[in-house]
Amino acid sequence: MSNIIVVGCGRVGSQLANMLSENDDNVCVIDKNPDAFTGLGRAFNGSVIQGVGFDEETLSRAGANEADCVAAVTQSDNANLMTAEVASRLFHVPHVITRLYNPGHEHAYEQLGFDYVCGTSLVTEDIYAKISSGHGFHIDTFGEFEVLRFSLDLEGNNMKSIRVSQLERPYEVRIIAFERADGRSCSLPTGDSVLGHGDAVLACVKHSALQDFSRWIQE
């Protein structure tokens, strides 16, 4: 179970909160308009807080000190950016995701090092996939690709070993490097390189494949 704060309870925020809630994550939703929480429905089992998402006290009440991820999905790029700044700089939340409306701001977000989703369709699914991929595993974003570092889970997939090509082809993934679980060797892989359970893997994964690929990531 992960601790996740969703800032903004519009269409995207409410859908995202419900998806996370159904996944048994611990979810807190922040919105300045209390009427917005009605969009969560009766099945939502998280908590709600009325307030401004970039307010330090509000984030503290929402549990930002223990949060694994903050998703800022209000309808204002400025509000989302300020929320990301406060969550990242003051509370040191390991994974902060923002919704970006104006694609002209992408370069600024990249320079600041913030993870973001830009677009008008499938935004909720994209953000959910980013969260599901593992908060501590995310390193950087390059357009529609994510760079992740994680420990490989083969036991959960009933396998003893796997070739790099078996991971790359089905998921639109590029394995960049790997380190043996015992830490004794680190290599640049070929398609025939064999990986074992617990090996540390550096990979570039397409957004659309994140949710499916997460089966190979140790929690």
Side-chain angles (χ1 to χ4, degrees), residues 37-103:
F37 300 132
T38 59
L40 292 169
R42 295 182 178 179
F44 178 69
N45 61 11
S47 59
V48 299
I49 292 179
Q50 180 185 0
V52 177
F54 50 82
D55 177 71
E56 184 177 350
E57 182 179 348
T58 300
L59 280 173
S60 180
R61 288 169 53 209
N65 285 308
E66 292 81 34
D68 298 297
C69 180
V70 170
V73 293
T74 75
Q75 295 182 357
S76 166
D77 279 351
N78 288 335
N80 291 340
L81 181 58
M82 287 189 287
T83 299
E85 286 275 8
V86 174
S88 177
R89 314 302 185 201
L90 296 185
F91 291 96
H92 306 292
V93 177
H95 192 186
V96 177
I97 305 172
T98 63
R99 182 178 185 182
L100 177 60
Y101 283 86
N102 186 347

Short mmCIF file of all heavy atoms in Angstrom, two decimals, residues 37-103:
data_model
loop_
_atom_site.label_atom_id
_atom_site.label_comp_id
_atom_site.label_asym_id
_atom_site.label_seq_id
_atom_site.Cartn_x
_atom_site.Cartn_y
_atom_site.Cartn_z
N PHE A 37 -15.76 17.21 -4.07
CA PHE A 37 -15.57 15.85 -3.54
C PHE A 37 -16.75 14.92 -3.85
O PHE A 37 -16.62 13.71 -3.73
CB PHE A 37 -15.33 15.91 -2.04
CG PHE A 37 -14.10 16.69 -1.65
CD1 PHE A 37 -14.15 17.64 -0.64
CD2 PHE A 37 -12.89 16.48 -2.30
CE1 PHE A 37 -13.03 18.36 -0.28
CE2 PHE A 37 -11.75 17.21 -1.95
CZ PHE A 37 -11.83 18.15 -0.94
N THR A 38 -17.89 15.50 -4.23
CA THR A 38 -19.03 14.66 -4.57
C THR A 38 -18.74 13.79 -5.80
O THR A 38 -19.36 12.74 -5.98
CB THR A 38 -20.28 15.52 -4.85
OG1 THR A 38 -20.01 16.41 -5.94
CG2 THR A 38 -20.67 16.32 -3.62
N GLY A 39 -17.78 14.22 -6.61
CA GLY A 39 -17.41 13.45 -7.80
C GLY A 39 -16.69 12.16 -7.48
O GLY A 39 -16.50 11.32 -8.36
N LEU A 40 -16.27 11.99 -6.22
CA LEU A 40 -15.54 10.78 -5.85
C LEU A 40 -16.46 9.57 -5.72
O LEU A 40 -16.03 8.44 -5.92
CB LEU A 40 -14.80 11.00 -4.52
CG LEU A 40 -13.64 12.00 -4.57
CD1 LEU A 40 -13.18 12.34 -3.17
CD2 LEU A 40 -12.49 11.43 -5.39
N GLY A 41 -17.71 9.81 -5.40
CA GLY A 41 -18.66 8.70 -5.28
C GLY A 41 -18.54 7.96 -3.96
O GLY A 41 -17.62 8.19 -3.17
N ARG A 42 -19.46 7.04 -3.75
CA ARG A 42 -19.53 6.32 -2.48
C ARG A 42 -18.47 5.25 -2.34
O ARG A 42 -18.14 4.84 -1.22
CB ARG A 42 -20.91 5.69 -2.33
CG ARG A 42 -22.05 6.72 -2.22
CD ARG A 42 -23.39 6.03 -2.02
NE ARG A 42 -24.47 7.00 -1.88
CZ ARG A 42 -25.75 6.67 -1.70
NH1 ARG A 42 -26.09 5.39 -1.66
NH2 ARG A 42 -26.67 7.61 -1.58
N ALA A 43 -17.94 4.75 -3.43
CA ALA A 43 -16.96 3.66 -3.37
C ALA A 43 -15.58 4.14 -2.91
O ALA A 43 -14.76 3.33 -2.49
CB ALA A 43 -16.85 2.98 -4.72
N PHE A 44 -15.34 5.43 -2.99
CA PHE A 44 -14.02 5.97 -2.60
C PHE A 44 -13.81 5.78 -1.11
O PHE A 44 -14.64 6.19 -0.29
CB PHE A 44 -13.95 7.45 -2.96
CG PHE A 44 -12.65 8.11 -2.56
CD1 PHE A 44 -11.47 7.80 -3.20
CD2 PHE A 44 -12.63 9.05 -1.53
CE1 PHE A 44 -10.28 8.40 -2.83
CE2 PHE A 44 -11.45 9.67 -1.16
CZ PHE A 44 -10.27 9.34 -1.81
N ASN A 45 -12.70 5.17 -0.72
CA ASN A 45 -12.44 4.90 0.70
C ASN A 45 -11.24 5.66 1.25
O ASN A 45 -10.69 5.29 2.28
CB ASN A 45 -12.27 3.39 0.94
CG ASN A 45 -11.09 2.80 0.17
OD1 ASN A 45 -10.28 3.54 -0.39
ND2 ASN A 45 -10.99 1.49 0.13
N GLY A 46 -10.85 6.74 0.55
CA GLY A 46 -9.76 7.57 1.03
C GLY A 46 -10.27 8.73 1.87
O GLY A 46 -11.40 8.71 2.37
N SER A 47 -9.44 9.75 2.03
CA SER A 47 -9.81 10.93 2.82
C SER A 47 -9.77 12.18 1.94
O SER A 47 -9.17 12.16 0.86
CB SER A 47 -8.87 11.10 4.01
OG SER A 47 -7.52 11.25 3.57
N VAL A 48 -10.42 13.23 2.39
CA VAL A 48 -10.45 14.49 1.65
C VAL A 48 -10.12 15.65 2.58
O VAL A 48 -10.41 15.60 3.77
CB VAL A 48 -11.83 14.73 0.98
CG1 VAL A 48 -12.15 13.62 -0.02
CG2 VAL A 48 -12.94 14.83 2.02
N ILE A 49 -9.50 16.67 2.02
CA ILE A 49 -9.17 17.88 2.77
C ILE A 49 -9.49 19.09 1.90
O ILE A 49 -9.03 19.17 0.75
CB ILE A 49 -7.69 17.92 3.17
CG1 ILE A 49 -7.39 16.83 4.21
CG2 ILE A 49 -7.31 19.29 3.73
CD1 ILE A 49 -5.93 16.78 4.63
N GLN A 50 -10.26 20.02 2.45
CA GLN A 50 -10.52 21.26 1.73
C GLN A 50 -9.35 22.20 1.95
O GLN A 50 -8.94 22.46 3.09
CB GLN A 50 -11.81 21.92 2.23
CG GLN A 50 -12.12 23.23 1.50
CD GLN A 50 -13.34 23.95 2.07
OE1 GLN A 50 -13.95 23.46 3.02
NE2 GLN A 50 -13.67 25.10 1.51
N GLY A 51 -8.79 22.71 0.87
CA GLY A 51 -7.66 23.62 0.99
C GLY A 51 -6.96 23.79 -0.33
O GLY A 51 -7.35 23.22 -1.36
N VAL A 52 -5.91 24.60 -0.32
CA VAL A 52 -5.11 24.87 -1.51
C VAL A 52 -3.91 23.92 -1.51
O VAL A 52 -3.19 23.82 -0.51
CB VAL A 52 -4.64 26.34 -1.52
CG1 VAL A 52 -3.75 26.61 -2.73
CG2 VAL A 52 -5.84 27.27 -1.53
N GLY A 53 -3.70 23.27 -2.64
CA GLY A 53 -2.70 22.21 -2.70
C GLY A 53 -1.27 22.65 -2.48
O GLY A 53 -0.44 21.84 -2.06
N PHE A 54 -0.96 23.91 -2.76
CA PHE A 54 0.42 24.35 -2.56
C PHE A 54 0.63 25.02 -1.22
O PHE A 54 1.69 25.57 -0.94
CB PHE A 54 0.89 25.27 -3.69
CG PHE A 54 -0.04 26.42 -4.00
CD1 PHE A 54 -0.03 27.57 -3.24
CD2 PHE A 54 -0.94 26.33 -5.05
CE1 PHE A 54 -0.87 28.63 -3.52
CE2 PHE A 54 -1.80 27.38 -5.35
CZ PHE A 54 -1.76 28.53 -4.58
N ASP A 55 -0.39 24.96 -0.35
CA ASP A 55 -0.27 25.49 1.00
C ASP A 55 0.46 24.46 1.88
O ASP A 55 0.07 23.30 1.94
CB ASP A 55 -1.65 25.79 1.58
CG ASP A 55 -1.57 26.28 3.02
OD1 ASP A 55 -1.12 27.41 3.23
OD2 ASP A 55 -1.95 25.50 3.92
N GLU A 56 1.52 24.88 2.55
CA GLU A 56 2.34 23.96 3.33
C GLU A 56 1.53 23.26 4.42
O GLU A 56 1.66 22.05 4.64
CB GLU A 56 3.51 24.73 3.95
CG GLU A 56 4.48 23.86 4.70
CD GLU A 56 5.66 24.65 5.23
OE1 GLU A 56 5.81 25.83 4.85
OE2 GLU A 56 6.44 24.08 6.03
N GLU A 57 0.69 24.02 5.12
CA GLU A 57 -0.11 23.43 6.20
C GLU A 57 -1.10 22.39 5.66
O GLU A 57 -1.29 21.33 6.26
CB GLU A 57 -0.86 24.51 6.96
CG GLU A 57 -1.68 23.98 8.13
CD GLU A 57 -2.41 25.07 8.88
OE1 GLU A 57 -2.11 26.26 8.64
OE2 GLU A 57 -3.27 24.74 9.71
N THR A 58 -1.71 22.70 4.52
CA THR A 58 -2.65 21.77 3.91
C THR A 58 -1.97 20.47 3.51
O THR A 58 -2.48 19.37 3.79
CB THR A 58 -3.32 22.41 2.68
OG1 THR A 58 -4.02 23.59 3.07
CG2 THR A 58 -4.31 21.44 2.04
N LEU A 59 -0.82 20.56 2.89
CA LEU A 59 -0.08 19.35 2.50
C LEU A 59 0.36 18.56 3.73
O LEU A 59 0.36 17.33 3.72
CB LEU A 59 1.13 19.73 1.65
CG LEU A 59 0.85 20.02 0.17
CD1 LEU A 59 2.10 20.54 -0.51
CD2 LEU A 59 0.33 18.79 -0.55
N SER A 60 0.74 19.27 4.78
CA SER A 60 1.13 18.59 6.01
C SER A 60 -0.04 17.81 6.59
O SER A 60 0.11 16.65 7.01
CB SER A 60 1.65 19.61 7.02
OG SER A 60 2.05 18.97 8.23
N ARG A 61 -1.23 18.40 6.62
CA ARG A 61 -2.42 17.72 7.12
C ARG A 61 -2.76 16.51 6.27
O ARG A 61 -3.31 15.51 6.77
CB ARG A 61 -3.62 18.68 7.14
CG ARG A 61 -3.56 19.75 8.21
CD ARG A 61 -4.64 20.80 7.99
NE ARG A 61 -5.95 20.20 7.86
CZ ARG A 61 -6.95 20.73 7.14
NH1 ARG A 61 -6.76 21.85 6.46
NH2 ARG A 61 -8.11 20.12 7.09
N ALA A 62 -2.45 16.59 4.99
CA ALA A 62 -2.75 15.48 4.08
C ALA A 62 -1.73 14.35 4.21
O ALA A 62 -1.92 13.28 3.60
CB ALA A 62 -2.78 15.98 2.64
N GLY A 63 -0.66 14.57 4.98
CA GLY A 63 0.34 13.52 5.19
C GLY A 63 1.51 13.57 4.24
O GLY A 63 2.11 12.54 3.92
N ALA A 64 1.88 14.76 3.78
CA ALA A 64 2.97 14.89 2.81
C ALA A 64 4.30 14.38 3.35
O ALA A 64 5.16 13.94 2.57
CB ALA A 64 3.11 16.33 2.35
N ASN A 65 4.48 14.42 4.66
CA ASN A 65 5.74 13.94 5.25
C ASN A 65 5.95 12.45 5.04
O ASN A 65 7.08 11.97 5.03
CB ASN A 65 5.77 14.25 6.75
CG ASN A 65 6.04 15.72 7.03
OD1 ASN A 65 7.00 16.28 6.52
ND2 ASN A 65 5.19 16.34 7.82
N GLU A 66 4.84 11.71 4.89
CA GLU A 66 4.93 10.27 4.67
C GLU A 66 4.50 9.87 3.26
O GLU A 66 4.39 8.68 2.95
CB GLU A 66 4.06 9.51 5.68
CG GLU A 66 4.53 9.58 7.12
CD GLU A 66 4.14 10.87 7.81
OE1 GLU A 66 3.05 11.38 7.49
OE2 GLU A 66 4.91 11.36 8.64
N ALA A 67 4.26 10.85 2.40
CA ALA A 67 3.72 10.53 1.07
C ALA A 67 4.77 9.91 0.16
O ALA A 67 5.93 10.31 0.15
CB ALA A 67 3.16 11.79 0.41
N ASP A 68 4.33 8.91 -0.61
CA ASP A 68 5.19 8.31 -1.63
C ASP A 68 5.08 9.08 -2.94
O ASP A 68 6.00 9.09 -3.75
CB ASP A 68 4.77 6.86 -1.87
CG ASP A 68 4.94 6.00 -0.64
OD1 ASP A 68 6.07 5.84 -0.19
OD2 ASP A 68 3.92 5.49 -0.13
N CYS A 69 3.92 9.72 -3.15
CA CYS A 69 3.69 10.42 -4.40
C CYS A 69 2.66 11.52 -4.20
O CYS A 69 1.70 11.36 -3.43
CB CYS A 69 3.19 9.45 -5.46
SG CYS A 69 2.86 10.20 -7.08
N VAL A 70 2.87 12.65 -4.87
CA VAL A 70 1.88 13.72 -4.95
C VAL A 70 1.57 13.95 -6.42
O VAL A 70 2.49 14.16 -7.22
CB VAL A 70 2.37 15.03 -4.30
CG1 VAL A 70 1.43 16.19 -4.63
CG2 VAL A 70 2.49 14.87 -2.79
N ALA A 71 0.29 13.90 -6.78
CA ALA A 71 -0.15 14.16 -8.14
C ALA A 71 -0.93 15.47 -8.16
O ALA A 71 -2.01 15.56 -7.56
CB ALA A 71 -1.01 13.02 -8.66
N ALA A 72 -0.38 16.49 -8.82
CA ALA A 72 -1.03 17.81 -8.90
C ALA A 72 -1.78 17.89 -10.22
O ALA A 72 -1.17 18.04 -11.28
CB ALA A 72 0.01 18.92 -8.79
N VAL A 73 -3.11 17.81 -10.16
CA VAL A 73 -3.91 17.71 -11.39
C VAL A 73 -5.04 18.74 -11.41
O VAL A 73 -6.13 18.46 -11.91
CB VAL A 73 -4.46 16.28 -11.56
CG1 VAL A 73 -3.34 15.30 -11.82
CG2 VAL A 73 -5.28 15.84 -10.34
N THR A 74 -4.79 19.92 -10.84
CA THR A 74 -5.79 20.98 -10.92
C THR A 74 -5.85 21.50 -12.36
O THR A 74 -5.07 21.09 -13.22
CB THR A 74 -5.46 22.15 -9.97
OG1 THR A 74 -4.38 22.92 -10.53
CG2 THR A 74 -5.06 21.65 -8.59
N GLN A 75 -6.74 22.44 -12.61
CA GLN A 75 -6.88 23.00 -13.95
C GLN A 75 -5.98 24.20 -14.18
O GLN A 75 -6.11 24.88 -15.20
CB GLN A 75 -8.35 23.37 -14.19
CG GLN A 75 -9.28 22.17 -14.19
CD GLN A 75 -10.72 22.54 -14.47
OE1 GLN A 75 -11.07 23.70 -14.63
NE2 GLN A 75 -11.58 21.53 -14.55
N SER A 76 -5.04 24.43 -13.28
CA SER A 76 -4.12 25.56 -13.40
C SER A 76 -2.68 25.07 -13.43
O SER A 76 -2.21 24.43 -12.49
CB SER A 76 -4.31 26.53 -12.22
OG SER A 76 -3.24 27.45 -12.14
N ASP A 77 -1.96 25.38 -14.51
CA ASP A 77 -0.55 25.01 -14.59
C ASP A 77 0.25 25.66 -13.46
O ASP A 77 1.15 25.03 -12.89
CB ASP A 77 0.03 25.46 -15.94
CG ASP A 77 -0.30 24.49 -17.07
OD1 ASP A 77 -0.83 23.40 -16.78
OD2 ASP A 77 -0.02 24.83 -18.24
N ASN A 78 -0.07 26.90 -13.14
CA ASN A 78 0.67 27.60 -12.09
C ASN A 78 0.46 26.94 -10.73
O ASN A 78 1.40 26.74 -9.96
CB ASN A 78 0.24 29.07 -12.02
CG ASN A 78 0.74 29.88 -13.19
OD1 ASN A 78 1.75 29.53 -13.81
ND2 ASN A 78 0.05 30.96 -13.52
N ALA A 79 -0.80 26.57 -10.44
CA ALA A 79 -1.10 25.90 -9.17
C ALA A 79 -0.41 24.54 -9.10
O ALA A 79 0.13 24.15 -8.05
CB ALA A 79 -2.60 25.75 -8.99
N ASN A 80 -0.43 23.82 -10.21
CA ASN A 80 0.22 22.50 -10.24
C ASN A 80 1.73 22.64 -10.03
O ASN A 80 2.34 21.84 -9.31
CB ASN A 80 -0.06 21.80 -11.56
CG ASN A 80 -1.51 21.38 -11.69
OD1 ASN A 80 -2.24 21.28 -10.71
ND2 ASN A 80 -1.95 21.16 -12.92
N LEU A 81 2.32 23.63 -10.66
CA LEU A 81 3.77 23.83 -10.52
C LEU A 81 4.13 24.21 -9.09
O LEU A 81 5.10 23.69 -8.53
CB LEU A 81 4.23 24.92 -11.49
CG LEU A 81 5.74 25.22 -11.48
CD1 LEU A 81 6.55 23.98 -11.79
CD2 LEU A 81 6.05 26.33 -12.49
N MET A 82 3.35 25.11 -8.48
CA MET A 82 3.63 25.50 -7.10
C MET A 82 3.46 24.33 -6.14
O MET A 82 4.24 24.16 -5.20
CB MET A 82 2.74 26.68 -6.69
CG MET A 82 3.13 27.99 -7.35
SD MET A 82 2.24 29.43 -6.68
CE MET A 82 0.61 29.16 -7.39
N THR A 83 2.45 23.51 -6.39
CA THR A 83 2.25 22.32 -5.57
C THR A 83 3.44 21.38 -5.68
O THR A 83 3.93 20.85 -4.68
CB THR A 83 0.97 21.58 -6.00
OG1 THR A 83 -0.16 22.43 -5.80
CG2 THR A 83 0.78 20.31 -5.19
N ALA A 84 3.92 21.19 -6.90
CA ALA A 84 5.09 20.33 -7.12
C ALA A 84 6.32 20.87 -6.40
O ALA A 84 7.09 20.11 -5.81
CB ALA A 84 5.36 20.21 -8.62
N GLU A 85 6.51 22.18 -6.46
CA GLU A 85 7.65 22.81 -5.78
C GLU A 85 7.61 22.57 -4.27
O GLU A 85 8.59 22.16 -3.66
CB GLU A 85 7.64 24.32 -6.06
CG GLU A 85 8.07 24.69 -7.48
CD GLU A 85 9.58 24.81 -7.61
OE1 GLU A 85 10.30 24.46 -6.65
OE2 GLU A 85 10.03 25.23 -8.68
N VAL A 86 6.45 22.81 -3.67
CA VAL A 86 6.31 22.66 -2.21
C VAL A 86 6.48 21.19 -1.81
O VAL A 86 7.19 20.87 -0.86
CB VAL A 86 4.95 23.21 -1.73
CG1 VAL A 86 4.76 22.92 -0.24
CG2 VAL A 86 4.87 24.70 -1.99
N ALA A 87 5.81 20.30 -2.53
CA ALA A 87 5.89 18.87 -2.20
C ALA A 87 7.31 18.34 -2.33
O ALA A 87 7.78 17.56 -1.50
CB ALA A 87 4.94 18.08 -3.09
N SER A 88 8.00 18.79 -3.38
CA SER A 88 9.35 18.30 -3.65
C SER A 88 10.40 18.95 -2.75
O SER A 88 11.22 18.26 -2.14
CB SER A 88 9.70 18.52 -5.12
OG SER A 88 11.01 18.11 -5.40
N ARG A 89 10.38 20.28 -2.69
CA ARG A 89 11.45 21.01 -1.98
C ARG A 89 11.27 21.01 -0.47
O ARG A 89 12.26 20.90 0.27
CB ARG A 89 11.52 22.46 -2.48
CG ARG A 89 11.46 22.66 -3.98
CD ARG A 89 12.56 21.96 -4.74
NE ARG A 89 12.51 22.30 -6.16
CZ ARG A 89 13.04 21.58 -7.12
NH1 ARG A 89 13.69 20.48 -6.82
NH2 ARG A 89 12.94 21.94 -8.38
N LEU A 90 10.04 21.14 0.01
CA LEU A 90 9.82 21.24 1.46
C LEU A 90 9.56 19.89 2.12
O LEU A 90 10.02 19.64 3.22
CB LEU A 90 8.65 22.19 1.75
CG LEU A 90 8.85 23.65 1.36
CD1 LEU A 90 7.67 24.50 1.81
CD2 LEU A 90 10.14 24.21 1.95
N PHE A 91 8.80 19.02 1.43
CA PHE A 91 8.46 17.74 2.04
C PHE A 91 9.27 16.58 1.49
O PHE A 91 9.16 15.46 1.98
CB PHE A 91 6.96 17.47 1.84
CG PHE A 91 6.07 18.39 2.62
CD1 PHE A 91 5.53 19.52 2.03
CD2 PHE A 91 5.78 18.14 3.96
CE1 PHE A 91 4.71 20.38 2.74
CE2 PHE A 91 4.96 18.98 4.68
CZ PHE A 91 4.42 20.11 4.09
N HIS A 92 10.07 16.84 0.46
CA HIS A 92 10.94 15.82 -0.12
C HIS A 92 10.17 14.57 -0.54
O HIS A 92 10.63 13.44 -0.34
CB HIS A 92 12.05 15.45 0.87
CG HIS A 92 12.82 16.63 1.37
ND1 HIS A 92 13.66 17.39 0.57
CD2 HIS A 92 12.83 17.24 2.60
CE1 HIS A 92 14.18 18.38 1.27
NE2 HIS A 92 13.69 18.31 2.50
N VAL A 93 8.99 14.78 -1.10
CA VAL A 93 8.20 13.67 -1.64
C VAL A 93 8.99 13.04 -2.79
O VAL A 93 9.41 13.76 -3.71
CB VAL A 93 6.81 14.15 -2.11
CG1 VAL A 93 6.04 12.99 -2.74
CG2 VAL A 93 6.04 14.75 -0.95
N PRO A 94 9.21 11.73 -2.77
CA PRO A 94 10.09 11.11 -3.78
C PRO A 94 9.58 11.14 -5.21
O PRO A 94 10.36 11.11 -6.15
CB PRO A 94 10.24 9.66 -3.27
CG PRO A 94 9.08 9.44 -2.38
CD PRO A 94 8.78 10.76 -1.75
N HIS A 95 8.25 11.20 -5.39
CA HIS A 95 7.72 11.20 -6.76
C HIS A 95 6.58 12.21 -6.83
O HIS A 95 5.56 12.06 -6.17
CB HIS A 95 7.21 9.81 -7.14
CG HIS A 95 6.92 9.65 -8.60
ND1 HIS A 95 6.34 8.52 -9.13
CD2 HIS A 95 7.14 10.49 -9.66
CE1 HIS A 95 6.21 8.66 -10.44
NE2 HIS A 95 6.68 9.85 -10.78
N VAL A 96 6.80 13.27 -7.60
CA VAL A 96 5.80 14.31 -7.80
C VAL A 96 5.43 14.35 -9.28
O VAL A 96 6.30 14.42 -10.15
CB VAL A 96 6.33 15.69 -7.36
CG1 VAL A 96 5.29 16.78 -7.63
CG2 VAL A 96 6.67 15.67 -5.87
N ILE A 97 4.14 14.27 -9.57
CA ILE A 97 3.65 14.28 -10.95
C ILE A 97 2.69 15.45 -11.13
O ILE A 97 1.85 15.71 -10.27
CB ILE A 97 2.89 12.98 -11.28
CG1 ILE A 97 3.76 11.76 -10.99
CG2 ILE A 97 2.46 12.96 -12.75
CD1 ILE A 97 3.01 10.45 -11.12
N THR A 98 2.82 16.17 -12.22
CA THR A 98 1.93 17.29 -12.48
C THR A 98 1.23 17.13 -13.82
O THR A 98 1.78 16.55 -14.75
CB THR A 98 2.69 18.64 -12.50
OG1 THR A 98 3.62 18.62 -13.59
CG2 THR A 98 3.43 18.87 -11.21
N ARG A 99 0.01 17.65 -13.88
CA ARG A 99 -0.67 17.74 -15.16
C ARG A 99 -0.28 19.06 -15.80
O ARG A 99 -0.31 20.11 -15.13
CB ARG A 99 -2.19 17.66 -14.99
CG ARG A 99 -2.90 17.71 -16.35
CD ARG A 99 -4.40 17.59 -16.24
NE ARG A 99 -4.97 17.54 -17.59
CZ ARG A 99 -6.27 17.47 -17.85
NH1 ARG A 99 -7.13 17.44 -16.86
NH2 ARG A 99 -6.70 17.43 -19.09
N LEU A 100 0.07 19.04 -17.07
CA LEU A 100 0.50 20.23 -17.79
C LEU A 100 -0.45 20.50 -18.95
O LEU A 100 -0.64 19.65 -19.82
CB LEU A 100 1.93 20.03 -18.30
CG LEU A 100 2.54 21.15 -19.14
CD1 LEU A 100 2.60 22.45 -18.35
CD2 LEU A 100 3.94 20.76 -19.61
N TYR A 101 -1.07 21.69 -18.93
CA TYR A 101 -2.00 22.06 -19.99
C TYR A 101 -1.29 22.71 -21.18
O TYR A 101 -1.61 22.44 -22.33
CB TYR A 101 -3.06 23.04 -19.45
CG TYR A 101 -4.13 22.37 -18.63
CD1 TYR A 101 -3.94 22.14 -17.28
CD2 TYR A 101 -5.32 21.96 -19.20
CE1 TYR A 101 -4.92 21.53 -16.51
CE2 TYR A 101 -6.31 21.34 -18.45
CZ TYR A 101 -6.10 21.13 -17.11
OH TYR A 101 -7.07 20.52 -16.35
N ASN A 102 -0.36 23.61 -20.89
CA ASN A 102 0.32 24.37 -21.95
C ASN A 102 1.61 23.68 -22.35
O ASN A 102 2.60 23.70 -21.60
CB ASN A 102 0.61 25.78 -21.45
CG ASN A 102 1.19 26.67 -22.54
OD1 ASN A 102 1.60 26.19 -23.59
ND2 ASN A 102 1.22 27.96 -22.29
N PRO A 103 1.66 23.03 -23.51
CA PRO A 103 2.87 22.31 -23.92
C PRO A 103 4.08 23.22 -24.07
O PRO A 103 5.21 22.75 -24.08
CB PRO A 103 2.49 21.68 -25.26
CG PRO A 103 1.33 22.49 -25.76
CD PRO A 103 0.59 22.94 -24.54
#
